Coordinates of all heavy atoms in Angstrom, one line a residue:
Q1 N 8.7 3.2 2.7 CA 7.3 2.9 2.9 C 6.9 1.7 2.0 O 6.0 0.9 2.4 CB 6.5 4.2 2.4 CG 6.9 5.4 3.2 CD 6.0 6.6 3.0 OE1 4.9 6.6 3.4 NE2 6.6 7.6 2.3
G2 N 7.4 1.7 0.8 CA 7.2 0.5 0.0 C 7.7 -0.8 0.5 O 7.0 -1.8 0.4
H3 N 8.9 -0.7 1.1 CA 9.4 -2.0 1.8 C 8.5 -2.5 2.9 O 8.2 -3.7 3.0 CB 10.8 -1.6 2.4 CG 11.9 -1.5 1.4 ND1 13.2 -1.8 1.7 CD2 11.9 -1.2 0.1 CE1 14.0 -1.7 0.7 NE2 13.2 -1.3 -0.3
V4 N 8.0 -1.6 3.7 CA 7.1 -2.0 4.8 C 5.8 -2.6 4.2 O 5.4 -3.7 4.7 CB 6.7 -0.7 5.6 CG1 5.6 -1.0 6.6 CG2 7.9 -0.2 6.4
Q5 N 5.2 -2.0 3.2 CA 4.0 -2.6 2.6 C 4.2 -3.9 1.9 O 3.4 -4.8 2.1 CB 3.4 -1.5 1.7 CG 2.9 -0.3 2.4 CD 2.5 0.8 1.5 OE1 1.4 0.8 0.9 NE2 3.3 1.9 1.4
L6 N 5.3 -4.0 1.2 CA 5.6 -5.3 0.5 C 5.8 -6.4 1.5 O 5.3 -7.5 1.4 CB 6.8 -5.1 -0.4 CG 7.3 -6.4 -1.1 CD1 6.1 -7.0 -1.9 CD2 8.4 -6.0 -2.0
I7 N 6.6 -6.2 2.5 CA 6.9 -7.2 3.5 C 5.7 -7.6 4.2 O 5.4 -8.8 4.5 CB 8.0 -6.7 4.5 CG1 9.4 -6.6 3.8 CG2 8.1 -7.7 5.7 CD1 9.9 -7.9 3.3
S8 N 4.8 -6.6 4.6 CA 3.6 -7.0 5.3 C 2.6 -7.8 4.4 O 2.0 -8.8 4.8 CB 2.9 -5.7 5.7 OG 1.6 -6.0 6.3
N9 N 2.5 -7.4 3.1 CA 1.7 -8.1 2.2 C 2.1 -9.6 2.1 O 1.3 -10.5 2.1 CB 1.8 -7.5 0.8 CG 1.0 -6.2 0.7 OD1 0.3 -5.8 1.6 ND2 1.1 -5.6 -0.5
L10 N 3.4 -9.9 2.1 CA 3.9 -11.2 2.0 C 3.8 -12.0 3.3 O 3.5 -13.2 3.3 CB 5.4 -11.2 1.5 CG 5.6 -10.6 0.1 CD1 7.1 -10.4 -0.2 CD2 5.0 -11.6 -1.0
V11 N 4.2 -11.3 4.4 CA 4.3 -12.0 5.7 C 2.9 -12.1 6.4 O 2.5 -13.1 6.9 CB 5.3 -11.3 6.6 CG1 5.3 -11.9 8.0 CG2 6.7 -11.4 5.9
D12 N 2.2 -10.9 6.5 CA 1.0 -10.9 7.3 C -0.2 -11.4 6.5 O -1.1 -12.0 7.1 CB 0.7 -9.4 7.7 CG 1.7 -8.8 8.6 OD1 2.2 -9.6 9.4 OD2 1.9 -7.6 8.5
Y13 N -0.2 -11.2 5.2 CA -1.4 -11.6 4.4 C -1.1 -12.7 3.4 O -2.0 -13.0 2.6 CB -1.9 -10.3 3.7 CG -2.3 -9.3 4.7 CD1 -1.4 -8.2 5.0 CD2 -3.4 -9.3 5.4 CE1 -1.7 -7.3 6.0 CE2 -3.8 -8.4 6.4 CZ -2.9 -7.3 6.7 OH -3.2 -6.4 7.6
D14 N 0.1 -13.3 3.4 CA 0.4 -14.5 2.6 C 0.0 -14.3 1.1 O -0.5 -15.2 0.5 CB -0.3 -15.7 3.2 CG 0.2 -17.0 2.6 OD1 1.3 -17.1 2.2 OD2 -0.6 -17.9 2.5
M15 N 0.4 -13.2 0.5 CA 0.1 -12.9 -0.8 C 1.1 -13.5 -1.8 O 2.3 -13.6 -1.4 CB 0.0 -11.4 -1.1 CG -1.2 -10.7 -0.4 SD -1.2 -8.9 -0.9 CE -2.5 -8.4 0.1
P16 N 0.7 -14.0 -2.9 CA 1.7 -14.3 -4.0 C 2.5 -13.1 -4.3 O 2.0 -12.0 -4.1 CB 0.8 -14.8 -5.2 CG -0.6 -15.1 -4.6 CD -0.7 -14.2 -3.4
L17 N 3.7 -13.3 -4.9 CA 4.6 -12.2 -5.2 C 3.9 -11.1 -6.1 O 4.0 -9.9 -5.7 CB 5.8 -12.7 -5.9 CG 6.7 -13.7 -5.2 CD1 8.0 -13.9 -6.0 CD2 7.0 -13.2 -3.8
Q18 N 3.3 -11.5 -7.2 CA 2.7 -10.5 -8.0 C 1.6 -9.7 -7.4 O 1.5 -8.5 -7.5 CB 2.2 -11.2 -9.3 CG 1.8 -10.2 -10.4 CD 3.0 -9.3 -10.8 OE1 4.1 -9.8 -11.3 NE2 2.9 -8.0 -10.7
R19 N 0.7 -10.4 -6.7 CA -0.3 -9.6 -6.0 C 0.2 -8.7 -4.9 O -0.3 -7.6 -4.7 CB -1.3 -10.6 -5.3 CG -2.5 -9.9 -4.6 CD -3.5 -10.8 -4.0 NE -4.4 -10.0 -3.2 CZ -5.3 -10.6 -2.4 NH1 -5.4 -11.9 -2.3 NH2 -6.1 -9.8 -1.7
A20 N 1.3 -9.1 -4.2 CA 1.9 -8.3 -3.2 C 2.4 -7.0 -3.8 O 2.4 -6.0 -3.1 CB 3.0 -9.0 -2.5
L21 N 2.8 -7.0 -5.0 CA 3.3 -5.8 -5.7 C 2.1 -5.0 -6.3 O 2.2 -3.7 -6.4 CB 4.3 -6.1 -6.8 CG 5.6 -6.8 -6.3 CD1 6.5 -6.9 -7.5 CD2 6.3 -6.0 -5.2
D22 N 1.1 -5.7 -6.8 CA 0.0 -5.0 -7.5 C -1.0 -4.3 -6.6 O -1.7 -3.3 -7.0 CB -0.8 -6.0 -8.3 CG -0.1 -6.3 -9.6 OD1 0.9 -5.6 -10.0 OD2 -0.5 -7.3 -10.3
E23 N -1.1 -4.7 -5.3 CA -2.0 -4.1 -4.4 C -1.7 -2.6 -4.3 O -0.6 -2.1 -4.3 CB -2.0 -4.7 -3.0 CG -2.6 -6.1 -2.9 CD -4.1 -6.1 -3.1 OE1 -4.7 -5.1 -2.8 OE2 -4.6 -7.1 -3.6
P24 N -2.8 -1.8 -4.2 CA -2.6 -0.3 -4.1 C -1.8 0.1 -2.9 O -2.0 -0.5 -1.8 CB -4.0 0.2 -4.1 CG -4.9 -0.9 -3.7 CD -4.2 -2.1 -4.2
R25 N -1.0 1.1 -3.0 CA -0.1 1.5 -1.9 C -0.5 2.9 -1.4 O -1.2 3.6 -2.1 CB 1.3 1.5 -2.4 CG 1.9 0.1 -2.7 CD 3.4 0.1 -2.7 NE 4.0 0.5 -4.0 CZ 4.3 -0.2 -5.0 NH1 4.1 -1.6 -4.9 NH2 4.9 0.2 -6.1
W26 N -0.1 3.2 -0.2 CA -0.3 4.5 0.4 C 1.1 5.0 0.6 O 2.1 4.3 0.6 CB -1.0 4.4 1.8 CG -0.4 3.3 2.7 CD1 -0.8 2.0 2.8 CD2 0.7 3.5 3.5 NE1 0.0 1.4 3.7 CE2 1.0 2.2 4.1 CE3 1.6 4.5 3.8 CZ2 2.0 2.0 5.1 CZ3 2.6 4.3 4.7 CH2 2.8 3.1 5.3
R27 N 1.2 6.3 0.8 CA 2.5 6.9 1.2 C 2.2 8.2 2.0 O 1.4 9.0 1.7 CB 3.4 7.2 0.0 CG 2.8 8.3 -1.0 CD 3.8 8.5 -2.1 NE 5.1 9.0 -1.7 CZ 6.1 9.3 -2.5 NH1 5.9 9.1 -3.8 NH2 7.2 9.8 -2.1
Y28 N 3.0 8.4 3.1 CA 3.0 9.6 3.9 C 3.8 10.6 3.2 O 5.0 10.3 2.8 CB 3.5 9.3 5.3 CG 3.4 10.4 6.2 CD1 2.2 11.0 6.6 CD2 4.6 11.0 6.7 CE1 2.1 12.1 7.4 CE2 4.5 12.1 7.6 CZ 3.3 12.6 7.9 OH 3.2 13.7 8.7
R29 N 3.3 11.8 3.1 CA 4.0 12.9 2.4 C 4.5 13.9 3.4 O 4.0 14.1 4.5 CB 3.0 13.6 1.4 CG 2.3 12.7 0.4 CD 3.1 12.4 -0.8 NE 3.4 13.6 -1.6 CZ 4.1 13.6 -2.7 NH1 4.7 12.5 -3.1 NH2 4.3 14.7 -3.4
E30 N 5.6 14.6 2.9 CA 6.2 15.6 3.8 C 5.3 16.7 4.2 O 5.5 17.4 5.3 CB 7.5 16.2 3.2 CG 7.2 17.0 1.9 CD 8.3 18.0 1.6 OE1 8.7 18.7 2.6 OE2 8.8 18.0 0.5
D31 N 4.2 17.0 3.4 CA 3.3 18.1 3.8 C 2.2 17.6 4.8 O 1.3 18.4 5.1 CB 2.6 18.7 2.5 CG 1.8 17.7 1.7 OD1 1.7 16.5 2.2 OD2 1.3 18.0 0.7
G32 N 2.4 16.4 5.2 CA 1.4 15.9 6.2 C 0.2 15.1 5.6 O -0.6 14.6 6.4
H33 N 0.2 15.1 4.3 CA -0.9 14.3 3.7 C -0.6 12.8 3.6 O 0.5 12.4 3.5 CB -1.2 14.8 2.2 CG -1.9 16.0 2.1 ND1 -1.4 17.3 2.2 CD2 -3.3 16.3 2.0 CE1 -2.3 18.2 2.1 NE2 -3.5 17.6 1.9
L34 N -1.7 12.0 3.8 CA -1.5 10.6 3.5 C -2.1 10.3 2.1 O -3.3 10.5 1.9 CB -2.4 9.8 4.6 CG -2.3 8.3 4.5 CD1 -0.9 7.8 4.5 CD2 -3.2 7.7 5.5
A35 N -1.2 10.0 1.2 CA -1.7 9.8 -0.2 C -2.0 8.4 -0.4 O -1.4 7.5 0.1 CB -0.5 10.2 -1.1
L36 N -3.1 8.2 -1.2 CA -3.5 6.8 -1.6 C -3.6 6.7 -3.1 O -3.9 7.7 -3.8 CB -5.0 6.6 -1.1 CG -5.3 6.8 0.4 CD1 -6.7 6.6 0.7 CD2 -4.4 5.9 1.3
E37 N -3.3 5.5 -3.6 CA -3.5 5.2 -5.0 C -5.0 5.2 -5.3 O -5.8 4.9 -4.4 CB -2.8 3.9 -5.3 CG -1.4 4.0 -5.6 CD -0.8 2.8 -6.3 OE1 -0.8 2.8 -7.6 OE2 -0.4 1.8 -5.6
P38 N -5.3 5.4 -6.6 CA -6.8 5.5 -6.9 C -7.5 4.2 -6.7 O -8.8 4.3 -6.5 CB -6.7 5.8 -8.4 CG -5.4 6.4 -8.6 CD -4.5 5.8 -7.7
H39 N -6.9 3.1 -6.6 CA -7.6 1.8 -6.5 C -8.1 1.5 -5.1 O -8.8 0.5 -4.9 CB -6.7 0.6 -7.0 CG -6.2 0.8 -8.4 ND1 -7.1 0.9 -9.5 CD2 -5.0 1.0 -8.9 CE1 -6.4 1.1 -10.6 NE2 -5.2 1.1 -10.3
F40 N -7.8 2.3 -4.1 CA -8.3 2.1 -2.8 C -9.8 2.4 -2.8 O -10.4 3.2 -3.5 CB -7.7 3.1 -1.8 CG -6.5 2.6 -1.1 CD1 -5.2 3.0 -1.6 CD2 -6.5 1.8 0.0 CE1 -4.1 2.5 -1.0 CE2 -5.4 1.3 0.6 CZ -4.1 1.7 0.1
D41 N -10.5 1.6 -1.9 CA -12.0 1.8 -1.8 C -12.3 3.2 -1.2 O -11.6 3.7 -0.3 CB -12.5 0.7 -0.8 CG -14.0 0.7 -0.9 OD1 -14.7 1.6 -0.4 OD2 -14.6 -0.3 -1.4
D42 N -13.3 3.9 -1.7 CA -13.6 5.2 -1.2 C -13.9 5.2 0.3 O -13.7 6.1 1.0 CB -14.8 5.7 -2.0 CG -14.5 6.1 -3.4 OD1 -13.3 6.2 -3.7 OD2 -15.4 6.2 -4.3
D43 N -14.5 4.1 0.8 CA -14.8 3.9 2.2 C -13.6 4.0 3.0 O -13.6 4.6 4.1 CB -15.6 2.6 2.4 CG -16.1 2.5 3.8 OD1 -16.8 3.4 4.3 OD2 -15.7 1.5 4.5
V44 N -12.4 3.4 2.6 CA -11.2 3.5 3.3 C -10.8 5.0 3.4 O -10.4 5.4 4.5 CB -10.1 2.6 2.6 CG1 -8.7 2.9 3.3 CG2 -10.5 1.2 2.7
A45 N -10.8 5.7 2.4 CA -10.4 7.1 2.4 C -11.2 7.9 3.4 O -10.7 8.7 4.1 CB -10.4 7.7 1.0

């Protein structure tokens, strides 16, 4: 999941390396939840 997000940040959104890693990430969990890091905008959630 991290590979997908990092590659997209670099390829689709042309981010510098450090920003591509620092951006908040999401992850799909085995219990069916979509987990978000705290830095996501509340509107996105």
Side-chain angles (χ1 to χ4, degrees):
Q1 305 189 68
H3 283 209
V4 169
Q5 292 171 75
L6 175 56
I7 291 298
S8 174
N9 287 355
L10 295 169
V11 174
D12 295 326
Y13 301 98
D14 191 31
M15 292 184 186
L17 298 188
Q18 190 60 58
R19 180 181 172 188
L21 297 185
D22 281 349
E23 286 292 333
R25 295 199 276 267
W26 49 267
R27 66 178 297 180
Y28 182 66
R29 306 278 293 179
E30 64 157 309
D31 63 3
H33 280 88
L34 180 60
L36 305 178
E37 278 196 89
H39 302 297
F40 271 97
D41 191 291
D42 290 341
D43 186 55
V44 170

